[in-house]
Amino acid sequence: MSSPRPSPTPDDNAVAAGLGALRPLQLLSAAIGMGALMLSATRILVDLPVNPEPVPPSWMAVGIVLASVVAATGVIVVFGYSVPSLPMGLPRENAARTSLHYFGSTTVLRSAVAEMPVLVAFAVSFLVTPHSWLPLLVALPVSAALFWWHAWPSPRTAAAVEKGLEAEGAESFLSETLGFRAE
């Protein structure tokens, strides 16, 4: 016979909740990121039979797309990790739950903003003459890099959010709760 399992402690429950929160965040983030890929593929596949040889985009179109890349990067760096610091003396379970909330909301924000250059390139491909889908090929790899570096829930993004949460000395338990670091 096996010995009975010890009952879970509140800390075990918080860790289980965090691990349960990581997977949905990753799936939501991936769904947002897939939107950029699907939009680009649709635009290219619809236009390709009509124009088998793509028209080079104008310098203005490329400039607008590059400006959107710079803007998206700036917004992510300035606002994407901004969270209020946790108050001192917050119980561990409340700190972990609050940290998960802020991590989730900032992850969605960073995911959406990382997709912005593709959305701009999509609009530019129709609005700026000559109409070309090639600006999407400029925006898509950059958006993918922004997404991978800033939006995908990872130990690095958790540490960046954790830094803001712990700015006044309170402990957030975010990385531990997400299972990124041993307790």
Side-chain angles (χ1 to χ4, degrees):
M1 285 193 117
S2 64
S3 62
R5 289 182 147 165
S7 62
T9 65
D11 291 345
D12 293 337
N13 291 336
V15 169
L19 293 175
L22 180 61
R23 180 59 61 192
L25 260 179
Q26 289 174 332
L27 292 173
L28 177 62
S29 190
I32 293 170
M34 289 300 292
L37 186 61
M38 301 279 289
L39 191 65
S40 299
T42 302
R43 171 68 173 105
I44 292 167
L45 292 174
V46 166
D47 197 42
L48 207 51
V50 178
N51 299 320
E53 292 187 28
V55 179
S58 68
W59 286 107
M60 185 170 81
V62 174
I64 291 170
V65 170
L66 292 177
S68 74
V69 166
V70 171
T73 304
V75 168
I76 288 172
V77 169
V78 172
F79 300 109
Y81 297 100
S82 293
V83 291
S85 58
L86 294 174
M88 292 297 290
L90 195 62
R92 180 185 177 103
E93 189 173 312
N94 291 352
R97 187 178 18 246
T98 303
S99 299
L100 283 174
H101 168 75
Y102 283 121
F103 183 67
S105 62
T106 59
T107 298
V108 170
L109 172 69
R110 291 188 309 273
S111 297
V113 174
E115 196 175 59
M116 186 177 79
V118 171
L119 299 175
V120 169
F122 183 79
V124 162
S125 74
F126 288 111
L127 298 175
V128 178
T129 56
H131 303 295
S132 172
W133 50 264
L134 288 175
L136 287 164
L137 296 183
V138 172
L140 195 57
V142 175
S143 279
L146 279 174
F147 178 82
W148 186 253
W149 187 253
H150 291 289
W152 185 253
S154 67
R156 194 193 67 71
T157 58
V161 171
E162 203 168 41
K163 183 178 177 183
L165 292 168
E166 296 176 352
E168 292 182 8
E171 202 167 347
S172 69
F173 307 102
L174 179 61
S175 290
E176 293 89 352
T177 303
L178 290 169
F180 291 141
R181 186 171 46 197
E183 292 185 49

